[in-house]
Amino acid sequence: MTDTLTPVLSDIWDADRSWTLATYREHGGYRALARARELAPADLVELVKASGLRGRGGAGFPTGLKWSFLPPPDGGPRYLVVNADESEPGTCKDVPVMLANPHVLIEGVAITSAAIGCEHAFIYLRGEVVHVYRRLLAAVREAEEAGLLQGLRITVHAGAGAYICGEETALLDSLEGRRGQPRLKPPFPAVAGLYARPTVVNNVESIASVPGIVLGGAEWFTGLGTPKSAGHGLFSLSGHVRRPGQYEAPLGITLRELLELAGGIREGHRLKFWTPGGSSTPILTDAHLDIPLDYEGVAGAGSMLGTRALQIFDETVSVVRAVSRWIDFYKHESCGKCTPCREGTYWLQQVMHRLEEGRGTPEDIRTLEDVAGNILGRSFCALGDAAATPVQSGLEHFREEFEAGCHTPARDLFPYEASALA
Ligand code: L3W
Ligand code: SF4
């Protein structure tokens, strides 16, 4: 961990054995849970509502409002499911939270469960990160043995490595033992989720932010960030920056400020393009260095804050090649349920490969626009839109590079060696 402006989530990452219960408690861990247990569930929901916390998994839906959508208790089970299936290209904030401080997540799970009346919570983790799975299991056991969970059962479930299982309803199908494919919404999980019971599905960072809110209060949290995007969050800088890593800061910080913390673009190079929140968010350019990185500021620039996965590319990188790699990913991960995404990602990939190899035609560029336009808004879930996004924003900002793909291979215009990290 390097510089951080609001060390709440990352405050103990540099401490010795930061992932253990002993270290977490030395730094005040589980005090928030004790305080939360003094509050009525409805007051906890109101507190999180008043804090303005918005979902940190990409969509930014107000967390307290989501909790309040659960129908009144009817005697049957209600579930909390933590979405820890972090798989978006560039997105890499939840794994560090769970590795460095799993107890802040577990404390958040316990508080949220108290707020919504849940007795069995699940953490759905992407299957590839076996080391995180082991760490979470060990931390849950520590919390149980210390008597902190008071009967709350927490199941850590490792998925099988499909990006679509990060979509909340596909995740629920997968958790139920079925092939992960999105369900029709409504009903939203809040009404009919896991085993058709009321279920809150929240991202790791959202839940890990809850203990801080309980201790600091709603006013403290709204005092950070901007009026409609309260609080702090992890900004993950990767790519051509001198010090890539996680930077915790209030929402509304700018890329220019974050680059200062990260030591700037690598020596002798300049910013060309970047994603504000992973490959699903339209790319931006050096014209957007000073936009506030909050939900409204990024939307105003034509993109989305998403997961704050800032992938930074300098002038040695071919936009066509970057978009082509992203399309390979979406084509591979399309679950195949709906036609626009299943067929559209296939055709986007065919055309992008031609352009990358310098074998494209002007008709190919029109095909890209047509296919991307027909995927966007017509797909069953957000993965389809996500696949159209890099193509559309790439064309918007760097059309000439796509046109160059009609006669020159990307490797000749942008040799691989120049793109290597310094
Ligand atoms: C009850 C209503 N609940 C909405 C809930 C809904 C969900 C949340 C947001 O996609 C985005 C996507 C990716 N009653 C409700 C309601 N809800 N209306 O609010 O819902 P939604 O549909 O806006 O978004 P989503 O399907 O959760 C998430 C973008 O995030 N993204 C994704 C990154 C990837 C990862 C990863 O790797 N793990 O997070 C990045 O930008 O494109 O737009 O809970 O139920 N009336
Ligand atoms: Fe599956 Fe893609 Fe359709 Fe989503 S948009 S349901 S991932 S085929």
Side-chain angles (χ1 to χ4, degrees), residues 164 182 334-338 341-342 379-381 383-384:
I164 192 57
S334 171
C335 82
K337 179 166 178 151
C338 71
C341 170
R342 184 187 62 243
S379 300
F380 194 80
C381 83
L383 189 148

Side-chain angles (χ1 to χ4, degrees), residues 38-183:
E38 291 164 5
L39 296 176
D43 292 339
L44 276 173
V45 176
E46 280 312 309
L47 172 67
V48 174
K49 255 190 186 173
S51 76
L53 173 66
R54 294 172 64 171
R56 300 300 196 224
F61 194 82
T63 305
L65 186 64
K66 189 188 278 189
W67 296 1
S68 71
F69 284 153
L70 292 196
D74 61 1
R78 301 144 79 81
Y79 298 111
L80 167 64
V81 177
V82 178
N83 186 344
D85 192 54
E86 182 171 61
S87 315
E88 167 105 343
T91 300
C92 53
K93 65 190 178 60
D94 296 335
V95 160
V97 168
M98 293 182 283
L99 262 187
N101 188 1
H103 281 287
V104 74
L105 174 63
I106 293 168
E107 186 175 17
V109 166
I111 296 171
T112 307
S113 298
I116 64 169
C118 157
E119 294 174 358
H120 189 175
F122 294 81
I123 301 174
Y124 185 102
L125 181 71
R126 73 177 287 190
E128 293 95 327
V129 287
V130 178
H131 52 307
V132 184
Y133 180 63
R134 291 193 184 120
R135 183 147 291 175
L136 280 174
L137 286 181
V140 168
R141 197 175 315 122
E142 269 188 314
E144 268 168 7
E145 285 170 2
L148 290 162
L149 299 185
Q150 295 191 359
L152 170 68
R153 198 171 148 206
I154 300 179
T155 298
V156 184
H157 178 90
Y163 176 63
I164 192 57
C165 291
E167 196 284 334
E168 59 177 3
T169 58
L171 184 157
L172 295 175
D173 264 17
S174 169
L175 200 48
E176 289 177 5
R178 290 201 286 266
R179 173 180 172 177
Q181 282 196 319
R183 300 175 181 172

Side-chain angles (χ1 to χ4, degrees), residues 109-287:
V109 166
I111 296 171
T112 307
S113 298
I116 64 169
C118 157
E119 294 174 358
H120 189 175
F122 294 81
I123 301 174
Y124 185 102
L125 181 71
R126 73 177 287 190
E128 293 95 327
V129 287
V130 178
H131 52 307
V132 184
Y133 180 63
R134 291 193 184 120
R135 183 147 291 175
L136 280 174
L137 286 181
V140 168
R141 197 175 315 122
E142 269 188 314
E144 268 168 7
E145 285 170 2
L148 290 162
L149 299 185
Q150 295 191 359
L152 170 68
R153 198 171 148 206
I154 300 179
T155 298
V156 184
H157 178 90
Y163 176 63
I164 192 57
C165 291
E167 196 284 334
E168 59 177 3
T169 58
L171 184 157
L172 295 175
D173 264 17
S174 169
L175 200 48
E176 289 177 5
R178 290 201 286 266
R179 173 180 172 177
Q181 282 196 319
R183 300 175 181 172
L184 192 64
K185 290 192 275 190
F188 288 95
V191 174
L194 188 63
Y195 307 119
R197 294 295 305 167
T199 303
V200 164
V201 185
N202 275 145
N203 170 260
V204 167
E205 193 187 351
S206 312
I207 295 295
S209 299
V210 170
I213 292 170
V214 170
L215 284 182
E219 255 180 51
W220 161 75
F221 198 74
T222 53
L224 300 167
T226 56
K228 290 186 179 167
S229 301
H232 53 86
L234 292 166
F235 291 80
S236 317
L237 269 74
S238 64
H240 290 141
V241 286
R242 286 209 183 111
R243 290 198 302 273
Q246 309 295 332
Y247 293 87
E248 190 173 350
L251 301 193
I253 192 170
T254 64
L255 176 59
R256 190 185 298 279
E257 290 163 333
L258 283 168
L259 282 175
E260 268 172 39
L261 294 175
I265 303 288
R266 66 174 171 160
E267 187 78 39
H269 293 278
R270 60 173 178 78
L271 175 65
K272 179 176 175 183
F273 66 101
W274 54 291
T275 65
S279 56
S280 301
T281 57
I283 62 170
L284 296 174
T285 68
D286 58 356

Side-chain angles (χ1 to χ4, degrees), residues 289-303:
L289 269 166
D290 295 309
I291 60 163
L293 293 173
D294 58 21
Y295 296 101
E296 295 69 36
V298 183
S303 188

